[in-house]
Amino acid sequence: MQPEDFKQEQQRLRETVAYMDRILHSSKSDIENAQENIKTAMSNVEYLDSSDSFLNILMNTRFFELARNQKEGLEAIRQKPYFARIHFQREQEPEEFLYIGKTSLFHSETHEPIIVDWRSPVANVYYDGRLGDITYDVRDEELSGHLFAKRQYKIEQAKLIDYRDVDLTTNDELLQEALEGKADVRLTEIVSTIQKEQNEIIRAHLRQPILVQGAAGSGKTTIALHRISYFLYTMGEHFNAEQLMILAPNNLFIEYIGDVLPELGVDKICQTTYADYVQNALKLKLKLTNPNEQLEKIIAQAGNFEELHISKMKGSPYYELMMQRYLQHYEQQLATHFDDVFIEKYRIVKGDHLKKLFLVEFHYMPIEKRLERIKKIIQTEVKRKTTAVLAKLNARYEDAIGRALNGMRDAEKRRRTVTKMIDERDERIPKIKQEAKTTATAYMKKFTKAKIKTLYRELVTSRELLYEIAPEWDPSETESFLKAHKKETWALEDLAALYYLQAKVKGIEEQWKMRVVFIDEVQDYSYFQLAALKAGLETDMFTMVGDLAQGIHSYRSLTEWQPVLDLFPRATYATLQKSYRTTIEIMELANGILAQMNEDLPLVEPVVRHGKVPQFILQDKLDVETIAKTVEAIKASHHQSIALICKTTNEAQTIVKQLENKGFPAQLLNENSAIDQQKLLVVPSHLAKGLEFDAVIIASFEAPYYDNPIDRKLLYVALTRAMHELYLIGPSKETFLM
């Protein structure tokens, strides 16, 4: 026999679903009516008088969009309308039960909330975790109330399975169940299991930048995506989704997170990689050297020290200083072309004045925007002063003609003089008028528009320029830099300079001028990459999440957070040290590698969840049968998502061939792969970052992990991908720095 409370909850769920079904039916009718009204209005559009029809079309189109959005929103949550309830009393108001879900639903007649959106201020009461007297913020106003109880629901297919009342002393069983579940090929939303420290970051000040150091498995990526949803819910009236951008590490990662934002009711947001964004914004199509190939060379102990030094330097504050000096040089070159503007013999504008406008008054603008503004000023001055010049000339000619008519006694001489003056006037004045039309355009022809690629290549290939722009370098550094750029090749590190020059010379076009930016794996960015983005977008509203312990590109990117905090002085800095992905046993192994790193990061705190102890399988070379047995054992534990992680791409390719030759289904993942979960996923370590799997097999035969910063980080990344099971296969434990 079911408890009465359970029956009441069942009835409440049935009533909610029934009401949603009525609204859905109504929405479908509204959509059909709106479509019919649009068709009718379209047929009534007349050539001469169409204003009413167009207004009707616009109104019905808006109504159609609202009805469609409501329908799609309700359909998305019908199987699970809500996940939690709070028993709450606002100050001086009656007690109420508020049911929390992914979107709001209000009764059409009473306007009472049936479901409260998880992003609403009052829902924060649920996530905050404290029973008793509480305060919460609504539009910067602090309100008080009392939280009597919190309840979590397990609902599947619109049926109530179970519920639990939770308090401060109760483990979050819903979280535990989620963590014990299976990994998927796509990231999913976590609105029902958001933890207090995660919630604080999601809801942190939205008009300030934030930098999050998040341990592996802390949910930093998911938190960033939920922050986007929260941002649009809270600030949507000021920002469109099109003005927000996610910069992901690669296209595989974009595929991996592809379902989260739609699940959270967010669409139209720009999701791209840094390289793709910069090239699109600059209208360039460059063949970039693959940064992973450079990493692979380093891993193989075959990296070129000079190349690494140049890569590091191109991401440094000094390279930004070089670009600033180069721009000053370019400005001064252009400034030499400013001389006086004349029409005929009349000076319209002084060159010194224009030069001052260019170098000082308009310095806040991109160079070519300044020139456009100066052209408009010249046009205005020409128009204004031409009128005055013509008036003065006409007056002079009229005066001269008058004196000739009245002062000359010789009729023939008088006639010739007056005729000559009239002809001169009639020829001169149209010429001045005509010249005035083209004066500004003709004057500005001296200022040719730059091609950013050409401008940048000029700097990196000119010895004379480099001596001027980088006087701190000794001659050997300059020669090494010139040698590296003799052949026109383009690396990821060059994009920051190109983007910076574009921003300062031409400006970033509005369609690419995002107002809010979310960056994942920010530890793989350089200082200058972030500085260039900030300068080009003209905003500091960045949400940046990363983990220095996973900074596998540290040879060219960030090794500490202080430069980022200096660049974003308004930024909030937060840390997430709890791991929700891995078991205690797996994390103990990973923490052993973390402790060997130079970044002085605290050890990761795994959420209390035990599992199998990681297993070492000692083998000198790959044995497909061993892999097959290991995979079978994993699947026997009902785990489906399995990855075999190799240190290098070469070893991953070799292993895939060996597996396929023996008829074992395997897929080698690259940056553009569509993941096939039916196969064993073979992943190079650098691509595994950001992904998670039920079980991971780390294999190392050809390429052991050496005791150096990059190898330690690659191994740490590989170790922290597993949720439940971890196997290490190789010739010795020393292969894995154990």
Side-chain angles (χ1 to χ4, degrees):
M1 186 174 170
Q2 293 177 331
E4 190 61 33
D5 200 19
F6 191 89
K7 290 180 180 177
Q8 289 176 359
E9 290 288 8
Q10 282 182 314
Q11 180 61 27
R12 208 278 179 181
L13 178 60
R14 282 195 293 268
E15 289 173 357
T16 301
V17 173
Y19 184 78
M20 291 170 70
D21 286 341
R22 289 199 297 274
I23 298 295
L24 277 168
H25 180 75
S26 176
S27 296
K28 288 174 184 175
S29 298
D30 291 341
I31 290 170
E32 290 170 1
N33 290 335
Q35 286 176 317
E36 192 59 40
N37 290 337
I38 292 169
K39 285 180 185 176
T40 304
M42 289 290 286
S43 65
N44 291 334
V45 172
E46 297 178 3
Y47 181 74
L48 293 175
D49 187 15
S50 60
S51 58
D52 289 343
S53 294
F54 279 127
L55 185 62
N56 197 1
I57 291 168
L58 289 171
M59 288 175 61
N60 278 286
T61 301
R62 180 61 180 151
F63 187 69
F64 170 78
E65 287 175 358
L66 290 170
R68 185 183 63 186
N69 290 341
Q70 184 181 44
K71 174 178 170 292
E72 289 175 354
L74 289 175
E75 285 175 340
I77 67 165
R78 187 189 178 280
Q79 302 301 325
K80 189 178 179 180
Y82 46 83
F83 56 84
R85 186 193 79 181
I86 56 174
H87 179 190
F88 183 61
Q89 184 177 19
R90 304 171 213 249
E91 197 172 42
Q92 297 180 343
E93 291 188 22
E95 296 176 28
E96 57 187 339
F97 292 96
L98 298 175
Y99 289 77
I100 300 167
K102 284 198 284 186
T103 191
S104 298
L105 180 64
F106 294 88
H107 198 284
S108 59
E109 295 176 2
T110 65
H111 304 295
E112 291 293 317
I114 298 170
I115 305 171
V116 174
D117 195 298
W118 71 274
R119 298 164 293 186
S120 66
V122 74
N124 198 34
V125 170
Y126 168 75
Y127 292 114
D128 201 41
R130 295 177 293 113
L131 300 185
D133 292 334
I134 60 160
T135 58
Y136 62 102
D137 291 332
V138 179
R139 292 187 170 86
D140 296 326
E141 182 184 355
E142 191 173 87
L143 301 181
S144 302
H146 189 88
L147 179 62
F148 296 97
K150 299 193 300 180
R151 177 169 286 181
Q152 297 174 342
Y153 298 96
K154 186 177 182 181
I155 297 171
E156 295 177 3
Q157 302 298 312
K159 303 291 183 186
L160 180 64
I161 307 301
D162 195 9
Y163 67 80
R164 292 138 189 166
D165 290 318
V166 294
D167 57 33
L168 287 174
T169 60
T170 307
N171 285 330
D172 193 333
E173 295 178 40
L174 201 65
L175 174 64
Q176 288 293 331
E177 280 191 9
L179 298 180
E180 287 167 5
K182 297 178 178 63
D184 202 349
V185 296
R186 311 270 279 196
L187 203 62
T188 55
E189 51 83 11
I190 58 164
V191 293
S192 60
T193 59
I194 293 170
Q195 301 300 290
K196 188 174 185 297
E197 72 274 15
Q198 296 173 327
N199 185 53
E200 286 173 355
I201 293 170
I202 291 169
R203 297 174 187 257
H205 201 303
L206 293 173
R207 290 193 177 274
Q208 288 181 197
I210 185 168
L211 172 63
V212 181
Q213 160 61 41
S218 60
K220 55 186 178 291
T221 298
T222 313
I223 290 166
L225 298 176
H226 284 65
R227 182 168 167 82
I228 293 170
S229 176
Y230 178 67
F231 183 95
L232 287 171
Y233 176 86
T234 308
M235 307 282 286
E237 60 189 72
H238 306 293
F239 296 86
N240 296 321
E242 292 92 336
Q243 296 174 307
L244 275 67
M245 175 170 68
I246 297 172
L247 289 178
N250 50 55
N251 290 315
L252 178 63
F253 191 81
I254 292 173
E255 171 74 10
Y256 181 62
I257 67 171
D259 287 342
V260 180
L261 291 175
E263 284 180 5
L264 296 171
V266 176
D267 59 3
K268 298 179 182 178
I269 189 169
C270 176
Q271 300 177 56
T272 184
T273 63
Y274 173 81
D276 286 346
Y277 165 71
V278 171
Q279 292 187 84
N280 284 326
L282 273 59
K283 293 186 173 68
L284 290 176
K285 195 66 179 175
L286 302 173
K287 189 177 180 181
L288 297 176
T289 55
N290 190 331
N292 292 323
E293 288 178 6
Q294 190 175 39
L295 178 63
E296 295 271 1
K297 284 182 183 176
I298 296 167
I299 294 169
Q301 312 289 301
N304 183 309
F305 179 76
E306 282 187 358
E307 285 181 11
L308 297 187
H309 174 72
I310 290 171
S311 294
K312 186 75 173 175
M313 187 273 299
K314 284 182 176 180
S316 68
Y318 185 74
Y319 209 55
E320 182 185 27
L321 177 63
M322 283 176 61
M323 294 305 126
Q324 290 169 350
R325 289 171 175 172
Y326 184 36
L327 286 165
Q328 288 171 0
H329 169 89
Y330 182 55
E331 282 178 338
Q332 292 299 329
Q333 272 191 328
L334 292 173
T336 61
H337 296 305
F338 285 107
D339 48 21
D340 295 348
V341 181
F342 286 92
I343 293 180
E344 207 185 49
K345 63 181 181 180
Y346 297 97
R347 186 168 65 191
I348 304 299
V349 190
K350 287 184 178 180
D352 287 345
H353 175 63
L354 296 177
K355 188 174 180 178
K356 186 181 177 185
L357 289 176
F358 178 72
L359 292 175
V360 182
E361 303 296 331
F362 297 158
H363 193 260
Y364 64 94
M365 300 169 66
I367 288 172
E368 290 185 1
K369 300 288 184 188
R370 295 182 228 171
L371 294 172
E372 289 171 11
R373 179 72 66 86
I374 286 169
K375 183 180 179 180
K376 288 179 180 177
I377 287 170
I378 293 172
Q379 287 172 329
T380 301
E381 286 299 291
V382 165
K383 188 175 180 181
R384 184 175 69 83
K385 290 188 176 180
T386 298
T387 303
V389 166
L390 292 175
K392 190 182 287 185
L393 276 177
N394 271 313
R396 285 180 180 175
Y397 277 110
E398 290 295 329
D399 185 55
I401 290 168
R403 286 199 306 274
L405 288 170
N406 297 320
M408 288 187 178
R409 295 184 179 181
D410 186 324
E412 181 58 24
K413 188 178 178 182
R414 184 171 66 238
R415 183 188 66 79
R416 286 198 308 270
T417 300
V418 170
T419 300
K420 184 181 176 184
M421 287 181 181
I422 291 172
D423 289 345
E424 186 181 305
R425 181 194 66 186
D426 291 350
E427 183 182 358
R428 192 177 173 192
I429 286 177
K431 275 187 178 178
I432 290 173
K433 287 181 178 179
Q434 189 60 39
E435 188 180 344
K437 291 178 182 177
T438 59
T439 297
T441 301
Y443 183 87
M444 298 305 295
K445 277 184 179 178
K446 308 175 274 191
F447 304 97
T448 54
K449 288 192 174 183
K451 292 182 178 177
I452 298 301
K453 262 178 67 177
T454 306
L455 201 64
Y456 183 61
R457 284 289 298 167
E458 183 187 5
L459 171 63
V460 300
T461 58
S462 169
R463 185 175 285 100
E464 184 183 350
L465 263 176
L466 285 172
Y467 279 136
E468 178 187 341
I469 303 305
E472 294 85 355
W473 285 358
D474 62 46
S476 64
E477 284 183 289
T478 304
E479 294 306 315
S480 176
F481 191 84
L482 288 167
K483 183 182 175 183
H485 294 89
K486 191 173 181 179
K487 185 180 176 183
E488 186 175 326
T489 56
W490 298 96
L492 181 72
E493 297 87 285
D494 293 311
L495 294 181
L498 289 168
Y499 185 84
Y500 189 83
L501 291 173
Q502 175 80 18
K504 298 298 183 179
V505 175
K506 296 177 178 292
I508 305 301
E509 290 185 8
E510 283 303 313
Q511 75 176 103
W512 298 108
K513 208 164 186 177
M514 308 303 178
R515 296 177 66 188
V516 185
V517 183
F518 296 81
I519 301 179
D520 202 0
E521 306 291 356
V522 71
Q523 79 280 348
D524 290 336
Y525 284 66
S526 68
Y527 169 89
F528 188 32
Q529 281 179 302
L530 296 174
L533 281 172
K534 184 185 175 189
L537 298 173
E538 298 179 351
T539 180
D540 70 346
M541 289 178 64
F542 283 51
T543 292
M544 299 164 284
V545 300
D547 181 13
L548 290 175
Q550 300 181 64
I552 59 177
H553 295 284
S554 56
Y555 61 91
R556 61 165 171 79
S557 56
L558 296 165
T559 55
E560 57 176 331
W561 292 130
Q562 193 55 52
V564 182
L565 295 172
D566 292 341
L567 183 62
F568 295 90
R570 296 194 315 121
T572 303
Y573 177 69
T575 60
L576 293 167
Q577 284 307 118
K578 285 184 182 177
S579 174
Y580 297 94
R581 177 186 298 142
T582 55
T583 62
I584 289 173
E585 289 76 12
I586 294 172
M587 204 64 237
E588 280 179 358
L589 202 63
N591 271 335
I593 302 300
L594 182 61
Q596 299 176 33
M597 294 187 191
N598 303 324
E599 277 72 15
D600 195 29
L601 294 168
L603 298 181
V604 181
E605 306 166 24
V607 171
V608 181
R609 183 170 64 88
H610 286 280
K612 292 181 179 179
V613 175
Q615 185 179 341
F616 287 90
I617 302 172
L618 301 180
Q619 286 187 340
D620 290 330
K621 60 180 183 179
L622 179 77
D623 179 41
V624 174
E625 190 175 335
T626 301
I627 298 292
K629 285 181 179 177
T630 306
V631 170
E632 281 176 22
I634 293 168
K635 289 185 175 180
S637 302
H638 305 291
H639 295 144
Q640 298 297 319
S641 174
I642 310 167
L644 191 155
I645 300 177
C646 304
K647 180 181 169 183
T648 67
T649 301
N650 283 339
E651 186 160 23
Q653 290 169 340
T654 301
I655 287 176
V656 167
K657 284 180 183 175
Q658 288 178 284
L659 291 169
E660 288 177 341
N661 289 339
K662 294 287 187 178
F664 192 90
Q667 179 191 12
L668 176 64
L669 290 191
N670 58 46
E671 290 193 8
N672 299 306
S673 295
I675 297 174
D676 184 353
Q677 200 162 320
Q678 302 305 309
K679 295 180 178 179
L680 175 65
L681 305 172
V682 183
V683 194
S685 54
H686 65 267
L687 272 184
K689 190 148 52 75
L691 306 178
E692 65 180 30
F693 309 92
D694 289 333
V696 167
I697 303 166
I698 303 176
S700 184
F701 302 103
E702 298 174 0
Y705 292 89
Y706 296 104
D707 189 16
N708 62 53
I710 291 178
D711 277 26
R712 286 195 292 267
K713 288 175 179 178
L714 287 169
L715 179 58
Y716 179 76
V717 167
L719 291 169
T720 54
R721 298 309 96 197
M723 288 183 65
H724 305 291
E725 296 184 55
L726 177 65
Y727 300 82
L728 297 97
I729 304 179
S732 70
K733 286 189 177 183
E734 286 75 19
T735 302
F736 305 101
L737 303 176
M738 305 296 178

